[in-house]
Amino acid sequence: MNLRQKIKFFFLSFIILFFLWTVLSGYFEPFFVLCGIFSSIFTLFIFKRLIDAESALSQILNGAGKLSFCKLLAKYIPWLVCQVILSSIYVTKKVLQAKLKLEPIIILKKCKGHNDKSITLFANSVTITPGTLTIDVVRKQQTYLSTMCLMDKSLESGVSEIENKVLKILRSIK
């Protein structure tokens, strides 16, 4: 998108946002009109950051190509959704037990063979899976150290399964 197209896009977006603000608020006093202008401009700056973030993500993923990225999604997303469902069932059973016996643990996992893309996908996949949370990821030379909180020790094997699946899929699309 060249500069002229960007200016047209943001001007049109501003008009639409300001129009919506005006119509939905129903106030036409100068103070509220200024608030609408400020709000519309602020929203556009946030929106611009989101567009820039999307283009940055696409640049990161360009190493794999768009078709390869679609293959990744087609393979990984259904598997991850299944894992989230299974984990949700597990967490629900644990919470509904008569004797609630949770022993949360924090683990430090050495993640070898990862790059920035794969460690990000791994950490986010762990975080969206119920009962697990990635707290921190630190890079030490060629190894990533990932600190995670697990609802109980039995979920540790699931974390390893997620890591193996991420590495397998990302290697297959190269």
Side-chain angles (χ1 to χ4, degrees), residues 91-103 151:
V91 169
T92 303
K93 283 181 181 178
K94 278 294 230 187
V95 169
L96 294 177
Q97 284 178 348
K99 289 184 176 180
L100 185 62
K101 189 176 167 186
L102 296 178
E103 296 176 13
M151 191 172 89

Side-chain angles (χ1 to χ4, degrees), residues 25-84:
S25 73
Y27 295 106
F28 304 102
E29 296 153 15
F31 173 74
F32 293 109
V33 170
L34 286 174
C35 286
I37 290 170
F38 175 75
S39 173
S40 299
I41 291 171
F42 181 71
T43 302
L44 284 172
F45 278 114
I46 292 173
F47 187 61
K48 180 187 179 313
R49 291 193 61 198
L50 290 174
I51 290 172
D52 291 345
E54 180 189 6
S55 68
L57 177 63
S58 70
Q59 287 174 354
I60 289 170
L61 296 172
N62 271 346
K66 291 187 182 196
L67 183 60
S68 298
F69 182 65
C70 290
K71 287 181 187 176
L72 165 74
L73 290 178
K75 289 180 181 178
Y76 187 68
I77 298 299
W79 178 84
L80 183 61
V81 168
C82 181
Q83 295 305 308
V84 168

Side-chain angles (χ1 to χ4, degrees), residues 5-35:
Q5 288 174 326
K6 285 182 181 181
I7 291 171
K8 281 183 180 179
F9 175 75
F10 284 109
F11 183 71
L12 181 61
S13 298
F14 172 78
I15 298 296
I16 292 169
L17 286 173
F18 182 67
F19 175 75
L20 284 173
W21 170 275
T22 306
V23 169
L24 294 176
S25 73
Y27 295 106
F28 304 102
E29 296 153 15
F31 173 74
F32 293 109
V33 170
L34 286 174
C35 286

